[in-house]
C-alpha cells in the first residue's frame, strides 16, 4: 500500500476540486492523507471521502517570518514522520513549502500550477524572491501540472521550469454526469451569477460595480454572488463590503455552498471577471450545465471559453467593460443565448472531462 499526500492551503479546495482524484487513489488501494489548514470541510474529507486529515497551521495571507517558519517546520516534521510515497501539492504556497520539504527529504512530489496567484499578479521584492524559490523547487519535482499554455510559457520564460516533465491539463476537469444540462430560465428577471472565493483578485468589486451600473440604467436584472467570505488571502473582500452591496440592492449573496447546481440553474449567464486563473472550475461547471460565460481577457479565463461561441470577454479590472458585455447578453436574442449554452456543453464533453485529469495523477504514481 502506497501512502499519498494531497496538500493545499484550504481543506475546502481539496474537498470541492479534488474529490474525484482522492476517490480514484483510494480505489487503487492507496492510503490518502490530506494536509491542509482546518476549516468547515476538513471533517468532511474524513467522513465522506475516507481520508486521513492532518491540520496544518498555515495562514494563506501571512508573510510574517515567524508564522511562515512555523508552518514550514510543521510540514517538515509531518513528511519526515510519514515518508509518503508521493505528494501532490496544490496552490502556490504549498507548492513551494511542501515541495521544498519533499526535495530536501528526497520524497517524490508533483506541483499543480492552478493559476499563478498573488506572487505573480503583484510585484515587490518579497514576491520576486518567492518566484525565485518557486523555480528552485520546481526543478526538483517529479512532474508539473499546468492548466493553460500561458502559465506554462510564463514559467518557461522566467526559468521556473527547468527540465522537469510537465503535463497540460484541462483544469481540474468537470464531472459531466453530476453537472447535467438544465434549461435556461424562462420567467423572472435576467439572472447573472458569479461563483468564486470572495477576493479582490477574482474581480468581485468589478462585478458589484457592473451590477450597479446595469441597475442604474433601469435594466431588470438579478445578480447573484456565491462563495466563501473570510478567505485567508491578502485581497479578501470584507463582510462589510458585501453587506453594503446587499443593502444597496446591487446583488444577492446567498453565501457559500458545496452544491452550486441549484444556483446555476437559476442563472442565464455566469460571470468571472478574475485578474488571472489557471482554468476556472466554475466556468467549466456552468458550461456543462449549458450556461455561457462572461470572463476577463486574461490567462486561464480566456481558455475556459471559445470567444463569441461559448462566451464573451471583457477587459480586466474594468467594471465598465464588464457592464457592456452584461448589457449585451441581456438584450441578446433568446435563441442566440441558447446556442451559446449548447455550444458550451458540447465543448465540455469534447475536451474537459474530469476523467482525463484524474488519470493523469494516477499515471504520475507509476512513473
Amino acid at each position: 500500500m502506497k501512502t499519498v499526500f494531497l496538500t493545499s492551503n484550504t481543506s475546502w479546495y481539496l474537498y470541492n476540486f479534488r474529490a474525484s482524484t482522492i476517490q480514484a487513489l483510494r480505489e487503487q488501494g492507496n492510503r490518502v492523507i490530506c494536509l491542509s489548514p482546518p476549516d468547515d470541510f476538513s471533517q468532511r474529507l474524513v467522513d465522506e471521502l475516507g481520508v486521513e486529515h492532518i491540520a496544518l497551521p498555515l495562514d494563506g495571507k501571512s508573510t510574517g517570518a515567524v508564522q511562515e517558519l512555523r508552518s514550514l517546520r510543521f510540514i517538515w516534521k509531518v513528511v519526515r514522520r510519514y515518508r509518503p510515497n508521493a505528494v501532490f501539492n496544490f496552490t502556490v504556497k504549498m507548492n513551494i513549502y511542501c515541495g521544498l520539504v519533499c526535495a530536501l527529504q528526497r520524497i517524490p512530489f508533483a506541483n499543480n500550477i492552478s493559476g499563478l496567484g498573488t506572487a505573480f499578479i503583484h510585484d515587490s521584492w518579497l514576491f520576486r524572491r518567492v518566484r525565485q524559490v518557486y523555480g528552485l523547487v520546481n526543478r526538483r519535482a517529479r512532474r508539473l501540472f499546468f492548466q493553460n499554455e500561458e502559465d506554462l510559457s510564463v514559467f518557461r520564460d522566467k526559468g521556473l521550469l527547468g527540465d522537469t516533465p510537465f503535463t497540460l491539463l484541462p483544469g481540474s476537469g468537470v464531472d459531466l454526469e453530476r453537472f447535467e444540462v438544465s434549461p435556461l430560465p424562462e420567467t423572472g428577471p435576467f439572472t447573472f451569477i458569479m461563483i468564486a472565493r470572495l477576493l479582490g483578485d477574482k474581480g468581485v468589486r468589478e462585478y458589484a460595480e457592473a451590477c450597479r451600473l446595469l441597475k442604474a440604467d433601469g435594466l431588470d436584472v438579478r445578480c447573484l454572488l456565491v462563495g466563501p467570505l473570510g478567505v485567508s488571502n491578502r485581497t479578501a473582500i470584507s463582510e462589510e463590503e458585501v453587506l453594503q452591496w446587499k443593502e444597496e440592492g446591487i446583488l444577492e449573496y446567498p453565501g457559500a455552498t458545496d452544491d452550486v447546481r441549484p444556483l446555476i440553474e437559476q442563472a442565464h449567464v455566469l460571470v468571472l471577471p478574475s485578474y488571472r486563473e489557471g482554468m476556472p472550475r466554475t466556468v467549466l461547471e456552468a458550461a456543462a450545465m449549458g450556461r455561457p460565460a462572461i470572463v476577463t481577457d486574461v490567462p486561464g479565463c480566456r481558455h475556459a471559453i471559445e470567444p463569441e461561441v461559448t462566451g464573451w470577454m471583457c477587459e480586466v479590472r474594468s467594471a465598465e467593460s464588464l457592464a457592456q458585455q452584461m448589457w449585451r447578453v441581456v438584450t441578446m436574442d433568446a435563441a442566440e443565448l441558447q446556442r451559446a449554452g449548447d455550444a458550451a456543453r458540447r465543448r465540455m464533453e469534447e475536451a474537459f472531462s474530469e476523467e482525463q485529469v484524474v488519470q493523469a495523477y494516477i499515471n504520475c504514481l507509476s512513473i
Side-chain angles (χ1 to χ4, degrees):
M1 176 188 291
K2 292 182 178 179
T3 297
V4 181
F5 271 28
L6 277 72
T7 80
S8 172
N9 63 1
T10 65
S11 299
W12 172 88
Y13 174 89
L14 294 176
Y15 179 88
N16 284 285
F17 290 166
R18 301 298 163 184
S20 294
T21 301
I22 290 171
Q23 290 167 348
L25 289 170
R26 293 193 68 243
E27 287 172 2
Q28 290 204 340
N30 298 293
R31 179 190 185 189
V32 179
I33 300 175
C34 291
L35 176 63
S36 57
D39 60 31
D40 293 342
F41 289 85
S42 301
Q43 193 59 42
R44 298 182 69 172
L45 286 169
V46 177
D47 295 340
E48 298 176 27
L49 299 183
V51 305
E52 299 172 49
H53 180 260
I54 298 174
L56 170 64
L58 178 79
D59 184 345
K61 63 184 178 183
S62 169
T63 57
V66 174
Q67 173 65 34
E68 299 310 289
L69 287 173
R70 176 170 172 254
S71 299
L72 197 56
R73 185 167 177 265
F74 184 91
I75 296 169
W76 177 276
K77 288 183 175 180
V78 168
V79 172
R80 185 175 62 182
R81 174 187 175 188
Y82 286 89
R83 301 294 300 176
N85 299 94
V87 176
F88 293 104
N89 297 315
F90 302 91
T91 65
V92 174
K93 188 171 278 193
M94 292 307 294
N95 283 348
I96 297 172
Y97 288 6
C98 198
L100 179 61
V101 167
C102 289
L104 293 173
Q105 296 192 26
R106 300 182 182 277
I107 301 293
F109 71 97
N111 281 346
N112 189 78
I113 318 299
S114 55
L116 299 187
T118 304
F120 289 81
I121 294 174
H122 306 286
D123 194 32
S124 67
W125 180 90
L126 174 63
F127 289 133
R128 287 193 292 272
R129 300 294 81 75
V130 168
R131 292 194 289 269
Q132 287 181 338
V133 175
Y134 208 173
L136 292 173
V137 169
N138 286 336
R139 292 185 183 94
R140 300 290 299 276
R142 171 180 285 191
R143 181 166 292 273
L144 300 177
F145 293 101
F146 289 89
Q147 298 191 0
N148 66 68
E149 293 181 358
E150 287 180 77
D151 287 351
L152 173 58
S153 295
V154 168
F155 271 64
R156 184 184 285 120
D157 293 344
K158 292 184 179 294
L160 306 180
L161 185 60
D163 297 325
T164 304
F166 63 86
T167 300
L168 190 61
L169 296 174
S172 51
V174 61
D175 186 337
L176 296 172
E177 293 183 2
R178 185 166 187 260
F179 289 88
E180 297 179 321
V181 175
S182 68
L184 292 171
E186 296 181 357
T187 60
F190 194 100
T191 301
F192 294 99
I193 185 169
M194 177 177 179
I195 306 171
R197 291 180 298 156
L198 269 57
L199 305 177
D201 286 349
K202 294 293 184 182
V204 173
R205 294 188 180 93
E206 286 82 355
Y207 176 62
E209 180 60 25
C211 295
R212 178 186 282 114
L213 292 172
L214 291 185
K215 295 196 174 187
D217 284 342
L219 284 185
D220 182 21
V221 294
R222 180 185 180 210
C223 300
L224 296 172
L225 175 63
V226 181
L229 267 170
V231 178
S232 179
N233 185 283
R234 292 167 63 86
T235 71
I237 302 293
S238 69
E239 184 175 359
E240 290 72 22
E241 284 181 275
V242 176
L243 289 175
Q244 180 65 33
W245 294 331
K246 290 176 61 178
E247 291 173 359
E248 292 180 35
I250 295 170
L251 51 76
E252 300 174 29
Y253 176 63
T257 177
D258 57 358
D259 187 359
V260 296
R261 292 173 298 175
L263 292 168
I264 293 175
E265 287 178 349
Q266 298 176 33
H268 295 82
V269 173
L270 180 126
V271 177
L272 184 63
S274 179
Y275 297 174
R276 191 176 188 115
E277 293 286 328
M279 182 63 70
R281 177 79 171 254
T282 57
V283 176
L284 306 187
E285 291 174 344
M289 294 183 66
R291 300 301 187 270
I294 299 173
V295 301
T296 37
D297 186 10
V298 298
C301 288
R302 70 169 70 102
H303 298 90
I305 67 166
E306 185 176 351
E308 302 299 319
V309 178
T310 70
W312 306 271
M313 294 193 296
C314 64
E315 298 173 12
V316 67
R317 302 175 188 261
S318 173
E320 292 76 15
S321 176
L322 175 58
Q324 289 173 3
Q325 293 295 349
M326 292 170 73
W327 178 288
R328 177 184 176 187
V329 298
V330 170
T331 58
M332 184 177 290
D333 179 78
E336 184 178 355
L337 188 66
Q338 183 66 61
R339 284 194 295 272
D342 293 343
R345 171 66 190 195
R346 285 196 301 273
R347 188 165 183 260
M348 294 303 103
E349 293 172 344
E350 293 168 359
F352 288 86
S353 170
E354 190 177 53
E355 295 176 1
Q356 302 174 43
V357 178
V358 172
Q359 191 58 51
Y361 291 120
I362 296 297
N363 291 345
C364 190
L365 286 179
S366 58
I367 294 175

